[in-house]
């Protein structure tokens, strides 16, 4: 029985044959009660199309297209890997490799190659990403992170990892809030991304929810820069993405009558994060995912406050340490403010510090019980006025 198949290197006339300019087709076995046993992902440069085939239909499909419409086809069964190749003259070659699961072939302890366990080899173990390398993803191709074959551009690997890391948070968050309500076509999952920028993560969330999780959703991106918004809307139009729109606007003045389910704010500078959190709480958002940056406000207040300077001298004497202390204090106060607003709050590592120093993600999920209404002692005693506590 065929477990999977991948067809690549399409013929020049593929659009005439299959109706669309597919660059790759990935087929995987699925145990379905409907009788449709195989799931097809058909990729163009900008889109992915899904369909299903029964076992006999798959056999016919491969017979018609493997080595013909597509010059490279790799089929995998429980015991074999079969590669079907076609050269420039149209000659088809079939190569078969046995897949052995026989444990007796494993080396004995005395013959183990210890070099396999060096840190270098261990670090090369392939991480399983939500968006897998080798599978073309239309928005990643248009944004210059992948090539047409699904290979991640070396210089964009950090961004690729960041996108996948954020999708892990989205996946966990959606699981939590789906216990609160169901999302339907009439009442979809509503998301706002404040300070979306070029919207790598906004496109990733839309793709993940619609193409992988098949969740009805509506997503809006907001940013101050008109050229950035025009760029994002252009990408969305090229990909023919539904229920994804971008607008220019200021977080502090943003107003919508419809309550969002998830608020995203990534690297919104200084107090812009506070206004996004305030909006989320006022609109009773089910979840908040925020990666703050540039926490200048508390930093300035700490420098100006004589009492604070004496009390925290080791933390405030040196600029770099003062900046880190101010950031941590600001985000800690934000977390307490959200708890007071009725949220369960976690402070999580967004991505390794070697990729970005702005690596704290505030994750907040709405709960029924609010925390006690009490201003933190540090605000009272040191006369601090963080924006989040003034809103």
């Amino acid at each position: 029985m065929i477990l999977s198949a991948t067809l690549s290197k399409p013929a020049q006339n593929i659009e005439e044959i299959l109706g669309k300019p597919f660059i790759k087709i990935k087929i995987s076995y699925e145990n379905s009660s409907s009788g449709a046993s195989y799931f097809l992902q058909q990729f163009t440069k900008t889109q992915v199309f899904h369909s299903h085939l029964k076992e006999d239909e798959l056999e016919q499909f491969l017979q018609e297209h493997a080595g013909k419409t597509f010059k490279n086809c790799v089929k995998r069964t429980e015991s074999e890997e079969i590669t079907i190749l076609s050269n420039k003259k149209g000659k088809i070659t079939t190569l078969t490799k046995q897949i052995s699961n026989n444990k007796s072939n494993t080396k004995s302890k005395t013959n183990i190659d210890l070099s396999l366990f060096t840190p270098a080899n261990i670090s090369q173990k392939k991480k399983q990403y939500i968006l897998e390398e080798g599978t073309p993803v239309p928005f990643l191709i248009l944004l210059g992170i992948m090539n047409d074959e699904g290979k991640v551009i070396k210089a964009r690997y950090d961004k690729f990892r960041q996108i996948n890391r954020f999708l892990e948070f989205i996946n966990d968050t959606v699981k939590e809030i789906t216990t609160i309500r169901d999302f339907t076509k009439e009442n979809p999952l509503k998301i706002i991304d404040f300070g979306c920028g070029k919207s790598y993560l906004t496109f990733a969330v839309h793709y993940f929810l619609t193409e992988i999780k098949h969740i009805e959703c509506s997503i809006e991106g907001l940013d101050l820069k008109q050229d950035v918004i025009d760029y994002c809307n252009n990408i969305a139009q090229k990909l023919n993405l539904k229920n994804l729109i971008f607008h220019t606007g200021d977080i502090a003045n943003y107003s919508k009558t419809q309550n969002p389910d998830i608020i995203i704010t990534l690297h919104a500078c200084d107090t812009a994060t506070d206004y996004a959190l305030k909006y989320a709480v006022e609109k009773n958002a089910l979840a908040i995912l925020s990666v703050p940056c540039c926490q200048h406000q508390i930093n300035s207040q700490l420098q100006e406050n004589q009492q604070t300077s004496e009390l925290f001298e080791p933390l405030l004497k040196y600029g770099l340490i003062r900046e880190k202390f101010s950031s941590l204090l600001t985000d800690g106060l934000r977390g307490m403010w959200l708890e007071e607003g009725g949220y369960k709050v976690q402070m999580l590592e967004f991505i390794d510090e070697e990729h970005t120093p702005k690596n704290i993600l505030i994750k907040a999920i709405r709960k029924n019980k609010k925390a006690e209404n009490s201003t933190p002692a540090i605000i009272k005693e040191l006369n601090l006025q963080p924006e989040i506590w003034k809103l």
Side-chain angles (χ1 to χ4, degrees):
M1 183 183 72
I2 297 173
L3 299 179
S4 67
T6 301
L7 294 89
S8 59
K9 296 185 178 180
Q12 291 183 351
N13 62 338
I14 188 168
E15 189 168 4
E16 298 175 12
I17 299 172
L18 294 179
K20 294 186 183 298
F22 295 123
I23 58 175
K24 179 180 282 191
I25 297 178
K26 295 193 74 172
I27 303 167
S28 57
Y29 174 76
E30 61 177 7
N31 188 7
S32 172
S33 58
S34 67
S37 301
Y38 290 91
F39 176 58
L40 273 71
Q41 298 180 81
Q42 299 166 290
F43 299 90
T44 68
K45 288 185 179 181
T46 60
Q47 292 178 286
V48 57
F49 298 86
H50 295 158
S51 60
H52 296 83
L53 292 177
K54 295 180 181 179
E55 188 170 2
D56 57 341
E57 292 172 332
L58 174 64
E59 293 284 359
Q60 183 178 348
F61 181 85
L62 292 177
Q63 186 176 357
E64 291 177 358
H65 302 293
K68 301 169 186 175
T69 313
F70 290 89
K71 296 179 181 180
N72 190 318
C73 173
V74 179
K75 296 190 297 182
R76 292 179 179 85
T77 69
E78 293 175 335
S79 59
E80 293 180 329
E81 180 179 279
I82 304 163
T83 302
I84 302 171
L85 303 169
S86 174
N87 63 17
K88 293 181 179 180
K89 295 182 178 180
K91 181 182 178 181
I92 297 175
T93 303
T94 301
L95 306 173
T96 302
K97 181 173 71 174
Q98 296 297 317
I99 300 174
S100 176
N101 294 317
N102 191 345
K103 293 182 180 180
S104 64
N105 290 334
T106 304
K107 292 182 180 180
S108 66
K109 291 182 179 180
T110 56
N111 292 325
I112 291 177
D113 184 356
L114 295 178
S115 67
L116 297 175
F117 297 91
T118 62
N121 281 313
I122 293 172
S123 66
Q124 289 173 4
K125 184 178 180 181
K126 187 177 180 181
K127 178 177 173 59
Q128 290 296 114
Y129 290 116
I130 291 177
L131 303 181
E132 296 181 359
E133 183 171 12
T135 299
V137 178
F139 83 90
L140 290 179
I141 295 171
L142 270 184
L143 292 173
I145 295 174
M146 275 185 174
N147 64 20
D148 293 346
E149 293 295 315
K151 182 175 177 58
V152 177
I153 307 301
K154 187 176 180 180
R156 309 307 304 278
Y157 223 99
D158 285 351
K159 180 62 70 175
F160 177 71
R161 281 193 288 261
Q162 184 190 62
I163 288 170
N164 274 286
R165 177 62 171 155
F166 189 70
L167 289 182
E168 292 173 6
F169 290 120
I170 286 289
N171 190 32
D172 292 340
T173 299
V174 170
K175 285 179 183 177
E176 291 185 70
I177 66 175
T178 48
T179 62
I180 300 174
R181 80 170 182 87
D182 294 325
F183 304 110
T184 63
K185 192 171 184 178
E186 294 72 27
N187 191 11
L189 172 63
K190 294 179 282 294
I191 299 174
I192 298 176
D193 185 354
F194 284 122
C196 61
K198 287 192 174 180
S199 301
Y200 293 94
L201 299 181
T202 322
F203 285 112
V205 171
H206 185 273
Y207 181 86
F208 173 72
L209 293 175
T210 57
E211 299 295 335
I212 298 178
K213 302 300 288 185
H214 305 294
I215 293 175
E216 296 288 345
C217 68
S218 173
I219 303 178
E220 179 181 355
L222 186 79
D223 201 273
L224 286 170
K225 299 177 181 179
Q226 184 63 54
D227 59 334
V228 169
I229 292 302
D230 291 342
Y231 170 81
C232 294
N233 278 321
N234 184 43
I235 294 292
Q237 290 170 9
K238 284 183 178 179
L239 294 171
N240 194 29
L241 301 180
K242 307 298 182 184
N243 299 318
L244 176 62
I245 190 69
F246 299 91
H247 296 294
T248 54
D250 187 346
I251 297 174
N253 300 319
Y254 182 80
S255 176
K256 272 271 183 146
T257 55
Q258 200 173 37
N259 290 4
D261 297 299
I262 299 177
I263 294 289
I264 298 172
T265 165
L266 302 176
H267 300 146
C269 189
D270 202 17
T271 56
T273 294
D274 298 313
Y275 286 104
L277 298 181
K278 173 180 178 286
Y279 181 86
V281 173
E282 287 180 345
K283 295 295 184 180
N284 294 310
L286 300 180
I288 303 164
L289 294 171
S290 176
V291 179
C293 80
C294 306
Q295 296 91 331
H296 298 309
Q297 188 196 35
I298 289 292
N299 194 340
S300 300
Q301 291 183 32
L302 289 173
Q303 293 181 72
E304 296 166 359
N305 190 311
Q306 182 63 34
Q307 182 184 357
T308 305
S309 299
E310 294 173 358
L311 185 61
F312 294 109
E313 183 179 2
L315 293 171
L316 303 178
K317 183 177 180 180
Y318 308 101
L320 180 61
I321 294 176
R322 184 179 63 245
E323 182 182 345
K324 290 181 178 291
F325 173 58
S326 302
S327 297
L328 293 172
L329 177 58
T330 302
D331 291 340
L333 291 171
R334 285 167 172 159
M336 294 180 69
W337 186 83
L338 286 169
E339 287 178 349
E340 187 175 295
Y343 287 83
K344 179 183 70 175
V345 177
Q346 292 175 281
M347 297 287 172
L348 304 168
E349 185 179 72
F350 177 34
I351 198 164
D352 294 343
E353 283 191 345
E354 64 183 276
H355 304 303
T356 172
K358 313 296 184 182
N359 73 326
I360 288 180
L361 181 139
I362 302 173
K363 177 185 175 184
I365 304 293
R366 175 164 286 286
K367 59 181 184 178
N368 294 327
K369 187 177 179 181
K370 294 186 178 183
E372 293 184 7
N373 187 0
S374 59
T375 304
I378 192 169
I379 294 179
K380 296 177 181 177
E381 294 177 11
L382 302 180
N383 195 30
L384 295 176
Q385 294 183 321
E387 191 70 23
I388 196 70
W389 231 270
K390 295 190 296 181
L391 296 175

